[in-house]
Amino acid sequence: IPEDAVLTPYSELAAAYAHAPSQVRVGLNGIVTHDRIGRILASEWRRTIPYRGYKLEYFETMYILGMLRETRLSFSVGDGMEFIPALCGHKPPELAVEYEADPGSLETLLSFEYLPTNMIHRLMLELKDSLELACVWYSGALFQQMDTGVSAVVRQRDNTIQICVRGTNDWHRPNGYLGQIRQMLIDDAKRLDLGRPESTVVYKMGH
């Protein structure tokens, strides 16, 4: 943002629209162009504010994106592109069911008294380097450790987070990755004053 830029009084309102769960789903797997984001926010302003002549400036869009990134609600995925988990579709892929049904996968449930709906979105941003953008949805995602062959499907169901992890070789066991994800979620919940969850290990025939 230029040092001499003056943000309009409506900038924070635009950020609120970007956060809103009622926002129209416009992205492919949550990926949206910066230009598209600017047009969405501008259209919301024109619809709700009796100042029809206002045009959203580029630096204002970037300011709002900066707020989203600072609050761990989005991250850049390339030139002019942004990943916003809240814009993902709601239908989980078949892969999510496969991981849950796999008798060889390790599964743990973290149950809280209360969870905000974007808890899983925060994890997506924390583990963005291993996030598979081709396999994300509003309440879950696939994470891959390419160097170890270990992968995990993590999904949020109401106040419970389900972690299913599986590996492809004996050199890299999935329990280490499960423990890492579990601890990241517990630490994040602590920062948000959500309390410590009840942890349940789901025993399967393959173990």
Side-chain angles (χ1 to χ4, degrees), residues 88-110:
C88 290
H90 282 263
K91 185 179 180 180
E94 290 296 323
L95 189 64
V97 180
E98 291 178 19
Y99 270 68
E100 184 176 359
D102 184 357
S105 69
L106 299 180
E107 181 177 345
T108 292
L109 304 176
L110 297 179

Side-chain angles (χ1 to χ4, degrees), residues 108 110 163 178-186 196 199:
T108 292
L110 297 179
I163 310 168
L178 187 150
Q180 176 188 343
I181 294 174
R182 176 181 176 276
Q183 192 58 52
M184 290 178 73
L185 289 164
I186 290 175
R196 190 170 182 84
S199 183

